[in-house]
Amino acid sequence: MADWSPRCHMVSHMVKGGDLVSCTVSEVQPLRAEAEDIPLDIVYEDDHVLVVNKPAHMVVHPAPGNANGTLVNAILHHCRISTFTCLARNSTGDECPDSSDDDTDVFDVDQFTTEDVSSEVRDALVRPGIVHRLDKGTSGLLVVAKDEHSHAQLAEQFKLHTIRRVYISLTCGVPHPNSGRIEASIARDPNNRIRMIAIAGSGHRYARNAASRYKVREVFAGGGSALVEWRLETGRTHQIRAHAKYLGIPLLGDETYGGTKSLALSLLRPRTPSKYHSGLSDLISKVDRPCLHAALLGFKHPHSGKTLEFSCPPPDDFTEVLAELQRVTSADGQNDGLVG
């Protein structure tokens, strides 16, 4: 065995065969979320479900480093619940418990401090409505269940992939062909734990099957960017972002997946008149998230069985960039705008 004395605390130390590594794993502590008076953009609400238009930069649920300001905090206030504790996160499911996806969170009740909470609201808190998630930087539609029956029914729809979800994005470059289906498994990037990678085939031990359909709606600046529509067949973590990178067209503003401001400008400037370069540079420099928006959401109502469908336009930061791309494309007399 290698000599491990004296102890080494240097981060740069390379572990070698025979080294003795000692560590202490702390017990996971529950996260307590408090109700917060945060405005919600409510698209639809009844006694059983709530559909909200989540703003970009809002985290869906509490997590280490994001205990406040989340969608769950806002929902607690909206439903007049003052506090709950997240005891467990379902690591096996994405959009619903018992599925093979990655984005569902399961919560248990710890304590109520509001005396007049109804039994229905108490029930909803067992899994406080979060059936699926959107990334922090993604804006758009998200459905929240207000009771356990609704949660179970919506979760089943996600599991069976019968939920209709349409996203729109701005990309760096244009995919070829203009429409298609991507089936590329997704796994955690071994070189960057906050990023996922799309992998052709099924040989990767930890990769999960993922499929997306895409269609180009508009092409801008001679192919420097595009408005792309996405429809998900599965719901893996960062699926659209990873599949966009896999196609070689990372989302504009997605620094994690290569859609940097410098890449966007390098593709746009050579294809646009110089008089527009300054305006493009100023606008793109302000992009601080992936240009991705959940534009349409459709599902069967968990109680009535009626099909509901909702849509909402992207927020200003998205539409301002889109409008500028349309303007420079039109002004340059190019004919590659709308795609049939």
Side-chain angles (χ1 to χ4, degrees):
M1 179 176 290
D3 181 14
W4 51 274
S5 181
R7 295 178 180 178
C8 180
H9 297 285
M10 295 183 63
V11 175
S12 60
H13 176 73
M14 299 294 291
V15 178
K16 303 181 293 295
D19 283 355
L20 179 64
V21 178
S22 177
C23 65
T24 301
V25 179
S26 301
E27 182 179 350
V28 177
Q29 296 298 316
L31 291 170
R32 182 178 298 274
E34 304 289 340
E36 295 181 59
D37 187 2
I38 302 170
L40 286 174
D41 183 359
I42 298 174
V43 177
Y44 174 84
E45 182 176 16
D46 61 25
D47 291 339
H48 309 291
V49 297
L50 179 70
V51 177
V52 300
N53 179 18
K54 186 187 85 68
H57 307 298
M58 173 182 271
V59 176
V60 170
H61 60 80
N66 286 295
N68 302 306
T70 73
L71 181 63
V72 166
N73 295 110
I75 290 171
L76 291 176
H77 180 270
H78 181 74
C79 294
R80 296 186 301 115
I81 301 168
S82 64
T83 182
F84 77 96
T85 299
C86 317
L87 296 181
R89 178 178 177 208
N90 182 354
S91 60
T92 61
D94 163 322
E95 295 157 331
C96 55
D98 305 319
S99 79
S100 59
D101 296 339
D102 300 315
D103 89 331
T104 300
D105 296 276
V106 178
F107 302 88
D108 291 321
V109 176
D110 174 66
Q111 179 183 357
F112 294 89
T113 59
T114 300
E115 296 297 327
D116 58 347
V117 173
S118 68
S119 60
E120 291 80 6
V121 173
R122 287 175 183 268
D123 289 341
L125 193 57
V126 175
R127 291 190 182 106
I130 306 302
V131 188
H132 65 125
R133 293 186 293 158
L134 296 176
D135 291 344
K136 177 181 178 181
T138 303
S139 57
L141 296 169
L142 185 144
V143 60
V144 178
K146 295 174 72 175
D147 57 68
E148 275 295 282
H149 174 79
S150 297
H151 188 281
Q153 290 295 317
L154 289 169
E156 183 67 13
Q157 292 181 53
F158 273 103
K159 181 178 181 179
L160 297 175
H161 306 300
T162 58
I163 298 280
R164 188 179 180 207
R165 290 177 294 168
V166 178
Y167 295 73
I168 56 173
S169 70
L170 294 174
T171 61
C172 296
V174 182
H176 297 286
N178 281 337
S179 63
R181 181 178 184 271
I182 312 161
E183 187 166 5
S185 300
I186 289 179
R188 186 75 59 183
D189 188 337
N191 299 316
N192 185 337
R193 296 296 297 170
I194 67 171
R195 186 170 61 197
M196 310 301 286
I197 53 172
I199 306 166
S202 56
H204 193 285
R205 179 179 177 184
Y206 299 108
R208 290 180 170 179
N209 177 61
S212 307
R213 294 183 182 273
Y214 71 90
K215 179 181 180 180
V216 176
R217 286 190 179 181
E218 292 184 65
V219 175
F220 308 116
S225 181
L227 177 66
V228 180
E229 174 183 297
W230 302 84
R231 297 172 185 260
L232 300 185
E233 294 183 18
T234 56
R236 309 303 183 195
T237 300
H238 296 183
Q239 179 171 318
I240 291 175
R241 299 165 67 188
H243 275 173
K245 180 177 175 62
Y246 178 80
L247 286 177
I249 50 146
L251 305 188
L252 196 157
D254 194 349
E255 301 281 336
T256 301
Y257 287 88
T260 63
K261 298 176 180 64
S262 59
L263 174 63
L265 290 174
S266 71
L267 292 171
L268 291 169
R269 278 176 171 165
R271 297 172 169 88
T272 56
S274 58
K275 64 180 179 179
Y276 296 113
H277 289 181
S278 178
L280 269 175
S281 296
D282 290 344
L283 196 57
I284 289 178
S285 69
K286 298 175 184 176
V287 176
D288 58 358
R289 62 146 178 138
C291 287
L292 180 63
H293 176 71
L296 185 146
L297 178 66
F299 56 89
K300 286 187 177 181
H301 192 281
H303 285 263
S304 70
K306 180 182 178 180
T307 298
L308 302 178
E309 190 168 282
F310 307 95
S311 62
C312 67
D316 291 347
D317 66 334
F318 188 113
T319 56
E320 286 174 4
V321 178
L322 173 60
E324 181 67 10
L325 291 172
Q326 291 171 329
R327 186 174 77 91
V328 300
T329 300
S330 174
D332 196 31
Q334 300 179 54
N335 297 315
D336 58 356
L338 297 176
V339 175

